[in-house]
Amino acid sequence: MIEEGWLYTAIASILVVGTTVYFLYPYYLGYRSREWELVRAKVLKNGWDDGLIHRGTLYFPVVRYTYTYKGVKYYGDKYSFVREYRNSKKDAWKLAKKYAESSKIDVYVNKNNPRLSVINSGVTFWQLSRVVVVFVVMLIFILSEVLETLFT
């Protein structure tokens, strides 16, 4: 029979690993998008949106665009796979207004799934550092649970 401590550790580990994979997927797409095909697009709308994070509001740029890939017209709105949060509407707007409405821009398009596109490809050092910190904290949690279960 499985001890109660092992069951708790197994469930916690599965939840942590599942959550990690879920949150790492945008970073994976950002990394892979560096190799995607560059296509011209037309900006339809720009602006900002907000999101509640840790009891505060952060803002991020929104750029909606259209592009044609292999004769098919697509629409996109990804500025970056890893959101570029800002502390103020003004800062988010400053980033979005670099892409004026009706202007032509370059977007990266996934040749295997052309509906998937992004303006700002790749992952920055600061974006990646957030993942590393969260991963280390999760690893410490898992190891502490496993070691506590083994030695009690």
Side-chain angles (χ1 to χ4, degrees):
M1 183 169 182
I2 299 176
E3 293 181 29
E4 191 175 311
W6 276 103
L7 184 59
Y8 170 75
T9 301
I11 291 171
S13 298
I14 290 169
L15 287 174
V16 167
V17 169
T19 302
T20 302
V21 169
Y22 175 78
F23 284 108
L24 282 180
Y25 188 65
Y27 292 88
Y28 169 76
L29 285 175
Y31 177 77
R32 292 298 305 253
S33 68
R34 297 174 309 135
E35 301 166 359
W36 293 356
E37 197 169 327
L38 208 53
V39 173
R40 293 298 281 172
K42 179 182 177 185
V43 176
L44 301 173
K45 187 177 181 181
N46 62 6
W48 56 268
D49 204 350
D50 58 16
L52 296 174
I53 306 290
H54 305 292
R55 298 187 191 134
T57 302
L58 293 176
Y59 305 90
F60 53 92
V62 175
V63 180
R64 289 184 174 78
Y65 52 87
T66 183
Y67 59 97
T68 302
Y69 184 76
K70 295 188 177 179
V72 179
K73 189 173 187 176
Y74 296 94
Y75 294 90
D77 63 358
K78 289 280 186 219
Y79 174 78
S80 172
F81 284 110
V82 182
R83 285 207 168 153
E84 293 281 338
Y85 286 107
R86 298 293 183 253
N87 292 323
S88 71
K89 293 175 193 175
K90 180 182 173 184
D91 290 341
W93 174 241
K94 190 185 305 182
L95 201 54
K97 76 178 183 180
K98 290 195 295 187
Y99 305 97
E101 291 182 16
S102 298
S103 66
K104 297 289 185 181
I105 62 171
D106 290 326
V107 296
Y108 294 86
V109 176
N110 182 341
K111 66 181 179 183
N112 298 320
N113 182 3
R115 288 174 289 146
L116 201 53
S117 63
V118 67
I119 295 171
N120 191 10
S121 71
V123 179
T124 67
F125 171 78
W126 296 111
Q127 291 169 334
L128 196 57
S129 66
R130 291 184 292 199
V131 171
V132 170
V133 168
V134 169
F135 178 74
V136 168
V137 168
M138 288 182 180
L139 189 61
I140 290 169
F141 170 75
I142 291 171
L143 287 176
S144 68
E145 290 296 321
V146 168
L147 291 174
E148 183 179 324
T149 303
L150 285 175
F151 295 111
T152 56

